[in-house]
Amino acid sequence: MAPMRAIPGVIHHLGEVTMASATPPFSLLMAVYRGDRVEYLRRALLSNTVGQTRPPAEVVIVRDGVVAEDVQGFLDDASALLRARFVAADRAGEAPEVTVLQLDRNGGLAHALNQGIAVCRYEAVARADSDDVALPQRFAKLLPLIDGSRTPVHDVAGSAICEFEGDERRPGQIRRLPAGGEALRAYARLQSPLHHPSVAFRRSVILAAGGYPERAGRFEDYLLWERLIMRGASLVNLPEPLVLYRVDAGAYERRGGWSMFRDELALQRRFRSDGFTTTAQFARNVTVRACYRLMPVRLRQLGYRLLTAVHNHRGDRGGAE
C-alpha cells in the first residue's frame, strides 16, 4: 500500500490508496457545511466511490466550518467506511485515500473548493455535491474527456443531470446543456453553460485562472466558466444524465426574490464590465432575470420546467467531440 501523505495544518489523512488499473487516477472533490444532512452525504460519497465502475484514486472533503455532530462523526469514519465497502465488493485495491480538510470557519463554497483544489494530488479533479447521487458510469464516461486518455483533451467536462425529489428511484426532469463549441459559448452569455455538480476539470487550468472567484455572491461557478471561456478553455457537456440532482420542496422559492435578483444583477454587471456580454445581451439578461426571479413561486416552477423542456428538445444533441 502507498504511504499516506503528510500535509501540515488541520488536514486529517484517513486512508491509503492502491491503483488497480491503468486508467489515469483522479481526485474527487466535495465540500460539506453545517446545513448538510448525514444520510444525503453518505449516499453522495458512496455513489461517487464504490458505486462507480471507475472510482477516484483519492477523495478530498472540505469541511467548511463547524458541522453537525453526526456529520462530523461520519467524516471521522469516512475512510474506514469506504475501505469496508470496497473490501465487501471484492475491490479492496481500488479503495481511495480520503483526506478531510477541516476549516475552522465557514468561508463559502468558492473558498472551500479553492482550498480543496490546492491539496488534490491529481491533474483530473471531479466535483460532487454532498446531497446528489452519481450514476455508476459517471466517471467512466466523463473522465476520458479531460484526463489525456483520449483526444482531444478538454479542460472542463460536464453532463446532463436528472432532478429527483425524495426518492431517487423516481427521477424527474432531465436538464441538458449544449455539447460544446460555439453553441456552448453562445449559451454561456445567457445562462451557465455547465451543471456545477456534474463537472470534472483539469486542475492546472483552474489554478491558472485563479480558481473559483471568492466573495462573489452565489454564482462562483458561473464566474469561473466565464473566466475560462475568455481564456480560450475548452468546455464540453455529455447529453446523458450522469448525476441525479436532489430538489427539495423549497428549491423554486430559493430561486426567486429580491435578494437573488440583486445577486444576478451584480453578476450581469460583472459580465458586461469584463466584456463577456454586449450591452444588448446585458439588457436582455437583466429583463429575463427580473421576470423570472420576481414572479410568484408557482409560475416560476411552471416556467422553469417549460423552458427546460423546450431547450432539451431543440438544443444540441451532439456528444462532446
Side-chain angles (χ1 to χ4, degrees):
M1 302 290 286
M4 294 188 193
R5 290 184 292 159
I7 301 178
V10 292
I11 302 172
H12 291 188
H13 299 282
L14 302 176
E16 298 178 346
V17 59
T18 296
M19 292 307 298
S21 70
T23 57
F26 69 96
S27 304
L28 174 68
L29 175 61
M30 304 177 69
V32 179
Y33 83 118
R34 64 181 178 275
D36 284 322
R37 295 172 56 171
V38 69
E39 63 269 27
Y40 294 170
L41 174 59
R42 178 182 294 108
R43 182 69 181 111
L45 179 61
L46 293 176
S47 72
N48 279 284
T49 53
V50 70
Q52 292 296 305
T53 59
R54 179 182 171 182
E58 75 165 351
V59 177
V60 175
I61 305 176
V62 184
R63 192 202 69 181
D64 190 14
V66 178
V67 295
E69 184 177 349
D70 57 351
V71 172
Q72 183 63 58
F74 178 81
L75 295 177
D76 293 341
D77 296 337
S79 181
L81 170 67
L82 288 186
R83 282 200 303 269
R85 290 300 183 96
F86 275 95
V87 168
D90 197 24
R91 300 167 62 192
E94 299 178 71
E97 176 183 352
V98 179
T99 298
V100 178
L101 172 57
Q102 305 198 88
L103 306 181
D104 292 334
R105 295 183 180 180
N106 178 274
L109 180 60
H111 178 70
L113 294 180
N114 285 338
Q115 295 298 306
I117 291 170
V119 301
C120 286
R121 62 163 50 169
Y122 299 110
E123 168 69 351
V125 178
R127 277 277 295 116
D129 277 355
S130 57
D131 56 356
D132 296 331
V133 179
L135 296 178
Q137 290 289 319
R138 182 190 175 199
F139 298 138
K141 294 184 175 183
L142 195 66
L143 265 295
L145 299 175
I146 67 165
D147 67 8
S149 60
R150 54 170 281 188
T151 57
V153 178
H154 301 285
D155 298 309
V156 187
S159 74
I161 60 177
C162 183
E163 295 182 348
F164 75 98
E165 183 174 348
D167 188 351
E168 67 186 70
R169 296 169 298 181
R170 301 176 62 183
Q173 188 171 41
I174 293 174
R175 293 161 52 183
R176 292 187 176 92
L177 293 169
E182 186 54 39
L184 184 148
R185 290 189 290 273
Y187 186 87
R189 269 66 183 186
L190 176 63
Q191 293 181 347
S192 179
L194 297 162
H195 295 305
H196 193 203
S198 78
V199 302
F201 49 74
R202 293 174 56 212
R203 179 177 179 269
S204 61
V205 172
I206 303 302
L207 291 176
Y212 285 86
E214 299 187 21
R215 297 177 294 279
R218 312 177 213 210
F219 301 102
E220 60 280 318
D221 57 320
Y222 197 175
L223 280 167
L224 178 58
W225 313 147
E226 178 222 19
R227 282 184 180 179
L228 294 176
I229 290 171
M230 294 187 73
R231 293 171 64 92
S234 176
L235 282 58
V236 295
N237 283 301
L238 292 174
E240 177 182 355
L242 299 176
V243 173
L244 302 181
Y245 180 75
R246 191 181 300 273
V247 178
D248 61 28
Y252 291 98
E253 184 174 358
R254 291 193 298 273
R255 290 173 181 169
W258 282 103
S259 176
M260 177 65 82
F261 176 66
R262 284 193 296 268
D263 282 357
E264 272 244 68
L265 182 58
L267 176 74
Q268 294 303 320
R269 286 172 171 164
R270 172 75 172 270
F271 284 169
R272 183 68 198 99
S273 175
D274 291 345
F276 186 62
T277 55
T278 65
T279 300
Q281 289 169 336
F282 170 81
R284 174 200 63 185
N285 293 349
V286 171
T287 301
V288 169
R289 280 155 175 76
C291 293
Y292 177 73
R293 300 300 183 188
L294 302 179
M295 67 174 53
V297 174
R298 180 59 178 165
L299 288 178
R300 184 182 307 123
Q301 182 176 6
L302 292 174
Y304 172 81
R305 291 179 174 175
L306 176 61
L307 288 174
T308 300
V310 168
H311 174 73
N312 286 346
H313 280 87
R314 75 180 184 186
D316 185 352
R317 288 297 196 280
E321 296 179 356

